[in-house]
Structures are given as C-alpha cells and as structure tokens.
Amino acid sequence: MGLSEASGQRDTQALLPVTQAMELRKRDYHVERPLMNQEQLEELGCWTSAARTYQWRTWFQCSRARAQALLFQHLPVLAWLPRYSLRDWLLGDLLAGLSVAIMQLPQGLAYALLAGLPPVFGLYSSFYPVFIYFLFGTSRHISVGEWSQAALQKDGRGQHCSRSGPLSLIYTVLEVCWKLPQSVVGTVVTALVAGVALVLVKLLNDKLRRYLPMPIPGELLTLIGATGISYGVGLKPRFGVDVVGNIPAGLVPPAAPSPQLFTSLLGYAFTIAVVGFAIAISLGKIFALRHGYRVDSNQELVALGLSNLIGGVFQCFPVSCSMSRSLVQESAGGNTQVAGAVSSLFILIIIVKLGELFRDLPKAVLAAAIIVNLKGMLMQFTDIRSLWKSNRMDLLIWLVTFVATILLNLDIGLAVAVVFSLLLVIVRTQLPRYSVLGQVPDTDIYQDVAEYSEAREVPGVKVFRSSATMYFANAELYSDALKQRCGVDVDHLISQKKKRLRKQEQKLKRLRKSLQKQTAASEGASVSIHVNTSVRDMESNNMEDSKAKVSTGKELEDIAASGQEDAKAPDGSTLKALGLPQPHFHSLVLDLGALSFVDTVCIKSLKNIFRDFREIEVEVYMAACHTPVVAQLEAGNFFDASISKQHLFASVHDAVLFALQHPRSGPASPVLVSWPLAH
C-alpha cells in the first residue's frame, strides 16, 4: 500500500502542471479599468518628478566601504583572485597561458620587425602590457599584446617606404612592385616554404579541432625548424637571407618618451587608441556573453590605457586584443587572466635567457607568419555579401571606411568614417517611416493600415505615428508628413478660412457704415418735424411719414446690432458656415511612443500642430509618452490652459475611446475601457 500511495502522489504531481495549464487557458483575461489621461494617471500612481541627483557630491564622500569599493573597481584582480579556484581553473589557465605564449613569441618578433624595431621590442610588448592587463582588466578571456594594425602605424608608414600620409598605401604598393626585380631569391623561397607550412598547419588545426586538446603550435614549430635549418645550412652567408641577428638578453630600464614626438604622433595615437579599444571591448563582450559574466567598459579603457602607458615607458609599441590568440586562450581551457600572467612569465623567461637561440631565425619566416595571420582580416570581405542582405546602411559604412582608410591612411580614414557614420545617423532620423494606424479587430492594438490588411481606421479619428524621435532636424518633416497623411490640405483650408473671414468682416464694416448713414438721415428728419409744429394738417401727414422713417432707422440699428452679435458668435466662423469642406475626422491622435527626448523645436512644432488642426475644427490628443518626455514637456512650458494633461493619454486606445465619446473638446467623464487580450 505504501508503494501504491507513493506512486499515486507522483502521478498527481506530474499531472499538476498540465491541470494548471488547462486552467490558465480557460481563464478569461479580460481587464476593465477607467479611461485615463496623463493627469489621472499621475494622480492614481502618485507620480512625482524625480529629484535631481548630483553625482559629483558622491565623489567627495569618504568612508571605508567606499574606499574598498573604489579599490576593487579600479583594481579588479583584488576582487576575483582571492576567490580563484585552484582545483577547477589552474590546469586550464596553465595550458591556455602556454598556448598563447607559443603564439606570442613569433608574432612579437614579426610585428617588431614590421614596425622597424629590434625584435626584442616585440617580446617586451608581449610581457609588460599583458601583466598590467592581468591586474586591471575585467575580461577573463581576451589576450592582450602586439597586433598588426599598431605595427603598421610605426611613424605613420611601413618600414622601407619613403612616403606617408594620404595615398601612402597606393605608393607603397607601387614601390614594392617596382622593387620586385631586386628581391633575393633565397628570401623569396624561404618565405614561400614557411607560408605554405603555416597554412597547412592551420588547415590541419581546423580539421582536427574537435580531437585536439589544444591547437598545434604551427608558428613555433616553423620558427624552430627555420632557425635550425638556417643555422645548419647557413642561409645568410650562402644565399643572402637576412636573419634576426643578436637579441640582447635582459630587460631595458624605463625611459620617458621624447616630448618632441607628441605633436607628430598625436593623430596616429588617437587612431590606434580608438581602434584598439573598439576591438578589445567587442571581443570582451562576446566572451562575457558566452560565459555569463560582465565586462566593465570604463575599466577596460583604463586597463588598456595603463597597459600602453606603462608599456611605452619600457619601449613597447601599442597593444590591444588579438582575436586569434583570444580564441586560442578560450579553446585551450582558459578561465581567468591567470592565463595572461602565465604567458607573460613565459615570455619573460625567453627575454632573459632564451632570446639568443633565435639569432639565426630568417626574417622571411616572420614575414610569412604576418601574412598568414592576416587571413582573418582578409576574410572580412565576405561580410559584404551578408551585409548586402541584412543591412545595406552598415554595408555603406563598411565600404566608406575601407575606401577612406586605403586612400587617406588609417588616422584620416577613421575620422572620415566616424563623421560619415554620424551624418548617416542624422539622415536616417530625417527619413523615418510615417504611418496612419488602424485598430486590429477585437484588440487594443493599433498598427499601420498599409502593412496590416485587417487593421481598420477608427471612423472620425485619425491616428498618426512616426518611427523616429522628433527633434530640430526633422520636426518640420514630421508636421508636413502628418498633414499629408491626414488627407486634408490643412494649410490651404486655413488660408481659405482666413480669407472668407476677412471678406465677412469687410462686408460687416460696409453694413455698419450704411446703417450709420441711414440713422443719421432719419434723426435729421425727426428734428425738422419737431421744429415746425404750427404747420397745417397736410404737414402733419408728412410728420407721420417722418416718424415712420425714424422707426425704420431704429429697426436698422437693431439689425446692425444683431449682425454684430452674429459675427461674434462661434457658429459664424465655422467651416460649414463659411461654405468650406469639413475634414472627414474630428479627432487626431499622435502616437508619441517613439519620442526619447524633446527639444524646444519639437515643443513648438507640437503646439503648432494643436493650433493648426483646431483651426479646422479637429481636436488633437497625444498618447504613449514616456515619463521622461512628459517631464521635459513640463519643463518646456508645453502644458497650459489650452493644452493640458487631459490631452495626453497612457495609450493610443485610451485616446481613441476618449475622442469617440467627445467629438468636441469638453470635460472628461469616467469611461470604462475594455481590453480583450486573450482567451
């Protein structure tokens, strides 16, 4: 019995989620609430404008907890290193650090030669900045060190070219082609053999990625093999192949940079900083999302800045994140930046003791390693096809950046790309999608009637929406599109109304003058009749006629007065009274859900919209404003006696229902809103 009861309980528990799901489907999610404008919503929710907070006040607050928080924020290693799990992470970090160091060794030597520096400077760039990032960085997986873009920017040119600045790359290619006949055959053959070997190893790594615990260190094996062959065969004395030469052992003392170079290197330094930070933070966020942690963008900027600042004092060239090394660090089992510390210590050993072993390494092998490592950069041309399908605006930015960088060099090209991107953002805000919305049947949802065939416009109510925020650059375009989509020539109708009102006023003035003349003539006749009181009976008849004229004058005065009252009456200036066509809708609802901010031009444009549509007897309402936007409207004195918060509603559906029950502006009455959401 005990077993049967337990099995019954398990069955009941298993059926419980199914029963709950069936009950949820049976429920009628039908909500009724009063129709709410912004004023009622603020009263119900007890809304108060957020108090101003002055961030600078907290900067001067001093406490032990704040000091500790600041220390952990700016020196993250103190926060995560005490919680480091030796059992779970140490082995993976050791393998990842050694794998990255094996890649950094040949890349550091190669990029130093590419930048026109002694090879040991490339090793310095693989040691100092990596260890600094270990202390200050927040990403657990990116590998910081030398990168080709910074090496190419040495003095603003490649190594053996006489030109720099705009079009320098074109001149460089032409100069290289011109000097091809002067190439050393032994150097060309060495580079080709090394390049083929590196490509084969990379292809083999791609094929065996699933089965290898770590990638085959093709670059290191190629360097060791090439060094041994060069030493045994004598490539330099016999075939004229240039080699690395003497690599001094030990570390160099720190040295301050020359102030005379600041002016000439400022543009290149800014370009390298922007590009390097963009690459590092992009890869850092990718790894953070993949492994479930957070990267602090501000601290990353600080970490990269300190890595380059301290590295520059020790004769390093600019560093950033390497995609290939970062992927190797992750795939080899790296969990934290302890892997970076391990790789930097391995490079330190090479600098101090093992650097002289690579004295006979051919430079052509290092050049082949650089070219093979540019495969990832060259593969970005495949993005053109995907961008053409997904986002052609991004493709346009890509092409402009590429062409500008090729023709104008990296610093000027990057500036051109940034300016072009900003201009494109402005242009895109001036080309939003304007829509007239209709109600989806049996819902409170309003969609573009041009896109949703079942959406129908509410009779008598026009709902308008823009896909972009309205500000000074597109406010006029918003107003023009609104008047065009409403199907009424608002400006022409207002102009005709003003003309007819002027004609009516002029006609009334002429009538007044005519009445004044007749009244004056009647009063003169009455005076003459009263003076000649001794005239005979025949003249008495004339007096009766003159009295009749006086009475007629009084009647004309009454008519004039009534005419003035009629002219002042509101019905006398309506479109119908003036013989003008009336709009086919009585209310306009502006869906302002896309507004993220408002400026003075936007506020003035909204006021003009209220004024113009009220001139043609259409009441205007606003809907779906975010709370910060409402606060900005208040600060800009948008709300007044004629435009109150009763014209602003929490949703488009609220505004439409209110407009249907109040075709003309009037006091709000409690109306229940029905929300059929789901069954």
Side-chain angles (χ1 to χ4, degrees), residues 16-334:
L16 184 60
V18 179
T19 306
Q20 291 178 347
M22 294 177 63
E23 290 180 357
L24 290 175
R25 282 195 292 268
K26 291 179 181 178
R27 292 181 185 176
D28 183 11
Y29 291 94
H30 190 80
V31 180
E32 289 188 354
R33 64 166 177 81
L35 186 151
M36 289 187 188
N37 55 38
Q38 183 65 26
E39 190 176 83
Q40 296 166 337
L41 180 61
E42 291 176 3
E43 292 178 357
L44 180 65
C46 299
W47 178 78
T48 56
S49 57
R52 292 186 178 181
T53 57
Y54 298 96
Q55 184 67 27
W56 59 269
R57 292 181 178 177
T58 61
W59 297 346
F60 300 100
Q61 296 177 357
C62 185
S63 65
R64 181 178 180 181
R66 177 167 173 75
Q68 184 178 5
L70 288 175
L71 183 63
F72 286 169
Q73 177 183 354
H74 296 292
L75 198 61
V77 67
L78 297 179
W80 62 264
L81 190 59
R83 302 194 301 268
Y84 186 81
S85 176
L86 295 175
R87 181 178 179 180
D88 298 331
W89 295 344
L90 183 59
L91 180 60
D93 284 339
L94 286 175
L95 292 176
L98 291 176
S99 302
V100 172
I102 289 172
M103 294 182 65
Q104 281 182 323
L105 173 62
Q107 290 180 1
L109 296 173
Y111 292 153
L113 292 175
L114 179 64
L117 299 172
V120 71
F121 283 15
L123 299 180
Y124 294 157
S125 301
S126 301
F127 167 63
Y128 289 106
V130 176
F131 192 77
I132 296 300
Y133 186 83
F134 160 74
L135 298 176
F136 294 94
T138 59
S139 176
R140 303 177 187 174
H141 294 88
I142 67 172
S143 174
V144 173
E146 65 284 333
W147 56 312
S148 58
Q149 289 89 337
L152 289 169
Q153 282 293 300
K154 172 68 171 65
D155 290 337
R157 56 188 188 270
Q159 169 58 19
H160 300 290
C161 291
S162 57
R163 296 181 182 271
S164 61
L167 300 179
S168 60
L169 182 61
I170 306 299
Y171 290 118
T172 299
V173 174
L174 294 177
E175 193 170 350
V176 169
C177 295
W178 184 260
K179 291 184 178 181
L180 281 179
Q182 305 176 15
S183 301
V184 179
V185 177
T187 302
V188 174
V189 173
T190 302
L192 289 176
V193 173
V196 170
L198 290 171
V199 170
L200 291 177
V201 173
K202 286 185 178 293
L203 292 176
L204 187 61
N205 281 330
D206 293 338
K207 290 285 186 180
L208 303 178
R209 179 182 302 174
R210 299 179 180 178
Y211 309 103
L212 295 175
M214 59 178 292
I216 300 174
E219 294 173 335
L220 181 63
L221 295 178
T222 303
L223 260 63
I224 295 175
T227 302
I229 293 173
S230 175
Y231 177 78
V233 177
L235 293 180
K236 181 176 177 59
R238 293 182 59 184
F239 301 101
V241 178
D242 198 8
V243 296
V244 171
N246 185 39
I247 299 178
L251 301 174
V252 296
S258 176
Q260 288 78 11
L261 298 176
F262 285 172
T263 305
S264 60
L265 297 179
L266 183 61
Y268 300 110
F270 178 77
T271 304
I272 292 173
V274 172
V275 176
F277 175 70
I279 294 175
I281 196 62
S282 299
L283 285 176
K285 288 185 178 294
I286 290 174
F287 288 120
L289 289 174
R290 186 180 299 175
H291 295 277
Y293 62 92
R294 181 178 176 273
V295 172
D296 187 348
S297 301
N298 294 331
Q299 185 60 28
E300 285 296 296
L301 186 60
V302 171
L304 287 175
L306 288 175
S307 299
N308 283 288
L309 178 64
I310 298 176
V313 174
F314 288 95
Q315 310 300 314
C316 303
F317 55 80
V319 298
S320 182
C321 172
S322 168
M323 179 182 294
S324 59
R325 293 198 304 269
S326 300
L327 292 174
V328 169
Q329 180 169 321
E330 182 200 28
S331 61

Side-chain angles (χ1 to χ4, degrees), residues 526-603:
S526 176
V527 170
S528 63
I529 291 170
H530 286 295
V531 171
N532 297 320
T533 56
S534 60
V535 182
R536 295 194 276 282
D537 294 336
M538 182 170 48
E539 291 178 349
S540 64
N541 295 330
N542 293 332
M543 188 171 65
E544 291 178 357
D545 295 337
S546 65
K547 288 181 179 179
K549 291 181 180 179
V550 172
S551 63
T552 305
K554 291 181 179 179
E555 291 175 357
L556 291 175
E557 289 180 359
D558 295 337
I559 293 173
S562 63
Q564 292 177 359
E565 292 178 357
D566 291 340
K568 293 180 182 178
D571 293 338
S573 60
T574 61
L575 297 176
K576 184 176 181 180
L578 294 173
L580 293 174
Q582 294 177 285
H584 59 281
F585 57 97
H586 55 75
S587 300
L588 171 66
V589 177
L590 302 178
D591 183 358
L592 301 181
L595 286 186
S596 57
F597 67 94
V598 292
D599 54 11
T600 55
V601 178
C602 175
I603 291 176

